[in-house]
Amino acid sequence: MAILKALQLLSLIFIQICPIAHSIRELSDPSPFEFVDNLHESSESNSIEGLNKLKNYLKQFGYLNYEDETLLNDDLVDANLESAIKTYQENFNINATGMLDATTIAQLTAPRCGVPDIINGYNTMLRNNSHNPMSKSINIVSHYTFFPNRPRWPSSKTHLTYRLVPNSRADAVAAVDSAFKKWDAATRFSFSRVAKAPSDLLVGFFSRNHGDEDPFDGKGGVLAHAFAPTDGRLHYDADENWVNGAVPGGFDMETVAIHEIGHLLGLGHSPDQSAIMYPTIPPGITKGLGKDDIKGIEALYA
Ligand code: ZN
Ligand code: ZN
């Protein structure tokens, strides 16, 4: 049965990836997703060169766990991987086939936030999942989520100070200010920038390994990440093409900051594509707070 499923998965990979290999290459080049190109290489076994990269990607965002870590670094298709792909598809509203179809690959290669969608087995994007402790508060029109155990700022702490790491790029200051103003206007929180430590929140640009066990991956892939309350750190990946506004091929610093501030305040990822807390963002656009995001903060701090 497992072999049959593996073959089914493989045949779909071959059938569906070949025609789109070129477009995927254009979509993701240069990026940490070059392995996608390898997935179309023919194989007589259930091994696909580069599949370990997909496994590691799914592990990074919480979808895949093996008791035996060596399975993570081989290129073999297995039931765990298929199940992880299904969960990923459910989170992104893709038909949950467990197959690597074109839609799934396009989603996998989209630039995104580095905060995992599943944290310690808790799927932050599935609020109405019966396995999810949040399922008691089912509200079918809301999709916002929180981190496990709902970390948040103390109720007395409605004013938060922030600062940028010294020598941060000068053109980020106005973008970050503007992002905090958006949350300021829509929530109980107010924010002010301070020049020197201490501050509640700290924003900076970092490349690759930067001391928090969550290294950035160079251009493409992960754009930024931030920590749940009351940590306060918000990190941009310095290797991205950061811009102000909707510039083709660039990522708007304000838009990404609005998303990451959501994490600083305690929001998890939302499967609602119109929410700022949706995990992926294409280049060349700007986006603001959605209704779902504001409802989320109101619910977390009610
Ligand atoms: Zn995020
Ligand atoms: Zn970091």
Side-chain angles (χ1 to χ4, degrees), residues 112-115 224-226 259-260 263 267-269 276-279:
R112 61 161 292 155
C113 171
V115 174
H225 58 222
H259 175 101
E260 300 302 336
H263 289 314
L267 289 183
H269 284 148
I276 196 72
M277 295 317 292
Y278 190 69

Side-chain angles (χ1 to χ4, degrees), residues 27-269:
L27 185 73
S28 59
D29 189 28
S31 88
F33 297 100
E34 281 156 14
F35 70 91
V36 169
D37 283 349
N38 293 331
L39 297 184
H40 70 279
E41 285 179 7
S42 62
S43 170
E44 292 298 310
S45 68
N46 65 339
S47 173
I48 302 169
E49 190 184 343
L51 200 63
N52 68 88
K53 303 253 177 40
L54 174 65
K55 290 183 175 185
N56 277 280
Y57 177 96
L58 290 168
K59 180 190 163 57
Q60 182 183 356
F61 297 104
Y63 290 90
L64 189 57
N65 279 299
Y66 291 106
E67 281 183 25
D68 178 359
E69 288 268 312
T70 60
L71 297 174
L72 189 67
N73 293 314
D74 67 28
D75 287 338
L76 300 173
V77 176
D78 59 51
N80 276 13
L81 176 63
E82 189 184 355
S83 162
I85 293 169
K86 274 187 186 165
T87 305
Y88 180 87
Q89 289 168 328
E90 284 165 6
N91 277 358
F92 287 90
N93 300 313
I94 299 167
N95 192 16
T97 57
M99 314 289 179
L100 280 174
D101 53 34
T103 311
T104 306
I105 289 172
Q107 187 63 55
L108 284 165
T109 54
R112 61 161 292 155
C113 171
V115 174
D117 303 330
I118 300 176
I119 301 171
N120 299 330
Y122 173 89
N123 187 344
T124 68
M125 292 179 73
L126 265 192
R127 216 168 144 248
N128 298 339
N129 186 327
S130 59
H131 301 295
N132 200 316
M134 220 88 72
S135 63
K136 289 190 191 83
S137 58
I138 287 176
N139 177 346
I140 55 164
V141 296
S142 298
H143 302 284
Y144 58 79
T145 65
F146 311 124
F147 288 99
N149 304 319
R150 299 173 61 134
R152 56 180 194 166
W153 293 89
S155 54
S156 59
K157 189 91 176 158
T158 57
H159 183 78
L160 299 172
T161 57
Y162 66 94
R163 66 191 165 94
L164 279 83
V165 170
N167 303 319
S168 292
R169 48 188 297 161
D171 62 350
V173 179
V176 170
D177 283 350
S178 182
F180 277 109
K181 283 200 178 81
K182 296 283 160 53
W183 282 106
D184 192 314
T187 66
R188 70 207 287 273
F189 287 98
S190 59
F191 303 93
S192 58
R193 177 159 48 87
V194 295
K196 289 179 183 167
S199 62
D200 299 307
L201 313 170
L202 182 60
V203 179
F205 288 77
F206 299 92
S207 186
R208 302 287 178 175
N209 281 305
H210 55 283
D212 62 10
E213 297 182 354
D214 200 359
F216 283 130
D217 52 8
K219 198 170 163 59
V222 169
L223 303 176
H225 58 222
F227 294 81
T230 52
D231 182 286
R233 286 174 296 168
L234 188 170
H235 296 164
Y236 286 95
D237 182 345
D239 292 327
E240 305 299 342
N241 178 24
W242 293 111
V243 296
N244 282 309
V247 178
F251 294 99
D252 178 43
M253 286 184 277
E254 178 181 336
T255 299
V256 172
I258 297 172
H259 175 101
E260 300 302 336
I261 293 166
H263 289 314
L264 293 179
L265 297 178
L267 289 183
H269 284 148

